[in-house]
Amino acid sequence: MENVTISLMNSLCRHVCAALAILAAWWLAPGLSEAQAPAAAQAPTTRKPNIILILADDLGYSEVGVYGQRKIRTPNIDRLAREGVRLTDHYSGSPVCAPSRAVLLTGLHTGHAYIRDNDEMGFRGDVWRDPALEGQRPLPAGTFTMAAMLKRGGYATAAVGKWGLGGPGSEGEPNRLGFDLFYGFLCQRVAHNHYPGYLWRNTAKVLLDNPGIYPHEKFPAGKDPKALSSYEPYGGKQYALDMMGEEARAFIRANKDRPFFLYFAPTVPHAALQVPEDSLAEYAGALPDAPYPGDKGYLPHRAPHAAYAAMVTRLDREVGRLAQLVRDLGLDRDTLIVFTSDNGPTFNGGTDSAFFESAGPFRGLKTMVYEGGIRVPMVARWPGTIPAGAVSAHASAFEDYMPTFAEIAGVERPAGLDGVSMLAALEGRASAQKPREYLYWEFQGKQAVRMGSWKGIRNAATGAFELYDLATDIGEKADVAAAHTDVVSRIEGIMRTARTESALFPLVKR
């Protein structure tokens, strides 16, 4: 009890000091230009906490040891959980990449977000047919992101990894939306190859010593599927995850004497299955395997189970390196580290979510609004503020990060956000945590709402409605809509009022 009291007192002191250091706060409703915001406050005299937000790509809820994974080793992520808090009921912004990241960065759920689906048609025409053209539909100019919010609060800001919210030259480039530094993939299609020919540093291409192959080739006829040499064309010399990890650590070193925000969004374990041989060796022969010929998308691999496990463990290694650097620089008590994933595990490219039990007890995978598609791992570590070994069942989602970081940084949260701060839950102050009235998602004609333990899913085109009680049916197996018409009515009301219509992403296509 004494340790918890000390932790709460430290947290209170930290937030009070940050508040006193800021003479004026500013806010800006999402979608307005930065020029319309009041002037930023004077730089604080007390250092604000650093924030490192790590976003894995297609990592399932149960692909981490502390969430029940038994075949894949994740010692560093597990250590973050042991030294901090693990959330059991945390959700992504969407069951696919781009809209989930848009929710994360703007604090608006998919009923209000500008990006509500992956969309290759928004920039430079029919880009999905031409690999030379990059980028998805960009966020509009002046979109107010968490990076812009923290930058105005005195933070150095960086996005390292996959962007997917605007290609080169578009209004959605990260440097135009609050990030001082960007390094990685602007386009999520290009990110399908983990040995790319280049990455972006801000608006300049950084050429790599890789062949830059097309990431959806199939295994050629006449080659031996068991021979190592048959797969050499699908590799390279510079692995994107390693390059991005180095850049992320360099950013931390360069900004160790000022508050910084690092959004680290590596592209693993998203297919294609590619990993350096030193990581593959860790699982070689340890898992049952058969060559994957590339018939379900992405590149072939001679040992797909071993490759996937090795990708996750190599990601874990990068998480460990970031955490160790923070310790080495003496920034432990000044740094919040959060680890999560952009959506549930995938179903193609030689991956095997059934074999790894990637979604744990949940129904569904990526692209689905069932729990398996949107419930994701989330651990947070902040020594002296977050109690070690804590577990929280607070229901939260990606739209909650922006208000949470506003509270941590001591800046007034922008108006119009859909989320609420989850800082009290992270700090173990469950009684002080404001609960979410509901969580909302929409994707490709499906709506989903979690209200307490109730989960409603509606097909907007047909009106068909499913209702599940997650308290007794975590696998969403028994539809109880007919027995609880009052709950159905309440959730349907939320589905009507929690959204605005989008001309770009209509709920029902006509």
Side-chain angles (χ1 to χ4, degrees):
M1 184 67 182
E2 180 181 354
N3 290 338
V4 173
T5 303
I6 292 172
S7 176
L8 296 179
M9 291 177 66
N10 287 340
S11 175
L12 180 60
C13 179
R14 189 187 302 272
H15 301 316
V16 170
C17 289
L20 292 176
I22 299 173
L23 301 179
W26 69 281
W27 62 269
L28 176 63
L32 299 182
S33 68
E34 292 187 34
Q36 293 172 274
Q42 295 295 314
T45 56
T46 301
R47 177 175 179 137
K48 299 179 180 181
N50 311 308
I51 301 170
I52 300 175
L53 174 57
I54 305 171
L55 183 70
D57 198 348
D58 284 8
L59 183 77
Y61 183 91
S62 292
E63 290 183 332
V64 177
V66 290
Y67 285 87
Q69 179 56 222
R70 297 182 179 181
K71 296 183 176 78
I72 304 173
R73 291 180 283 278
T74 57
N76 295 294
I77 299 169
D78 297 345
R79 180 179 176 181
L80 290 183
R82 289 195 306 271
E83 297 177 350
V85 62
R86 173 172 62 91
L87 270 62
T88 61
D89 291 49
H90 188 64
Y91 293 86
S92 66
S94 173
V96 297
C97 177
S100 189
R101 292 160 198 260
V103 171
L104 178 71
L105 293 172
T106 65
L108 301 176
H109 62 54
T110 45
H112 296 136
Y114 180 76
I115 304 294
R116 305 188 189 187
D117 195 352
N118 289 335
D119 184 10
E120 304 290 353
M121 308 302 293
F123 182 56
R124 296 188 183 178
D126 201 3
V127 297
W128 66 275
R129 296 184 182 276
D130 187 348
L133 298 178
E134 286 193 48
Q136 288 67 49
R137 181 177 294 279
L139 288 172
T143 298
F144 187 53
T145 67
M146 66 168 62
M149 176 185 75
L150 293 171
K151 184 177 174 66
R152 285 297 187 103
Y155 280 70
T157 59
V160 177
K162 186 166 87 172
W163 181 244
L165 296 172
S170 77
E171 58 193 8
E173 286 180 323
N175 296 123
R176 301 187 183 195
L177 297 176
F179 287 101
D180 299 319
L181 168 70
F182 173 75
Y183 181 83
F185 295 98
L186 285 172
C187 175
Q188 58 196 39
R189 285 178 300 102
V190 178
H192 294 169
N193 178 15
H194 297 285
Y195 289 101
Y198 63 90
L199 293 171
W200 290 92
R201 177 176 285 111
N202 299 324
T203 58
K205 280 186 179 181
V206 178
L207 299 181
L208 303 181
D209 189 9
N210 293 323
I213 59 173
Y214 179 62
H216 295 276
E217 294 183 7
K218 292 180 172 56
F219 193 79
K223 292 275 189 177
D224 181 358
K226 295 183 179 180
L228 174 61
S229 60
S230 298
Y231 299 88
E232 288 179 354
Y234 310 130
K237 294 182 179 179
Q238 292 177 289
Y239 194 56
L241 172 63
D242 298 353
M243 305 295 292
M244 295 184 293
E246 290 176 7
E247 192 77 18
R249 294 190 296 275
F251 170 78
I252 292 174
R253 292 188 191 97
N255 293 280
K256 62 183 177 61
D257 296 323
R258 61 178 295 191
F260 61 80
F261 167 54
L262 170 62
Y263 169 49
F264 183 52
T267 50
V268 290
H270 193 297
L273 295 176
Q274 296 167 293
V275 69
E277 287 296 317
D278 62 327
S279 285
L280 186 65
E282 184 176 344
Y283 290 95
L287 301 172
D289 245 330
Y292 168 64
D295 58 328
K296 295 182 180 179
Y298 302 97
L299 294 173
H301 201 283
R302 72 183 191 278
H305 286 160
Y308 189 82
M311 290 174 73
V312 175
T313 297
R314 200 172 185 98
L315 167 65
D316 178 81
R317 185 180 77 172
E318 290 302 324
V319 173
R321 287 176 171 177
L322 284 175
Q324 188 59 49
L325 178 59
V326 168
R327 297 184 190 101
D328 292 345
L329 293 175
L331 298 175
D332 240 12
R333 298 178 73 85
D334 293 315
T335 305
L336 167 67
I337 301 178
V338 176
F339 176 87
T340 189
S341 177
D342 66 343
N343 46 246
T346 194
F347 47 83
N348 61 1
T351 63
D352 193 343
S353 293
F355 173 78
F356 289 109
E357 299 180 275
S358 301
F362 304 125
R363 175 182 178 181
L365 299 170
K366 177 181 178 178
T367 74
M368 304 178 189
V369 293
Y370 293 111
E371 295 289 286
I374 53 177
R375 198 186 293 212
V376 291
M378 192 282 207
V379 298
R381 176 185 182 274
W382 187 1
T385 299
I386 294 178
V391 178
S392 173
H394 171 64
S396 55
F398 275 17
E399 60 266 26
D400 294 328
Y401 283 102
M402 199 162 172
T404 302
F405 293 167
E407 183 176 0
I408 288 171
V411 297
E412 185 175 346
R413 61 168 281 169
L417 300 186
D418 288 318
V420 302
S421 174
M422 53 184 168
L423 185 57
L426 299 182
E427 293 180 343
R429 299 181 290 116
S431 62
Q433 176 62 54
K434 179 181 179 181
R436 293 291 302 274
E437 179 184 352
Y438 61 84
L439 303 175
Y440 176 87
W441 302 265
E442 62 181 60
F443 179 70
Q444 294 186 350
K446 296 289 183 65
Q447 293 178 284
V449 165
R450 174 166 172 175
M451 182 184 70
S453 67
W454 295 108
K455 172 80 174 292
I457 297 175
R458 177 178 176 268
N459 184 319
T462 66
F465 195 98
E466 304 166 49
L467 181 67
Y468 304 97
D469 183 359
L470 300 179
T472 58
D473 180 21
I474 198 67
E476 295 172 293
K477 297 177 181 178
D479 179 2
V480 294
H484 297 277
T485 55
D486 57 329
V487 177
V488 171
S489 179
R490 289 168 61 195
I491 291 179
E492 285 183 326
I494 292 171
M495 290 176 172
R496 287 191 297 270
T497 60
R499 67 180 307 273
T500 55
E501 188 56 48
S502 169
L504 299 174
F505 305 99
L507 193 57
V508 179
K509 293 185 179 180
R510 306 192 184 281

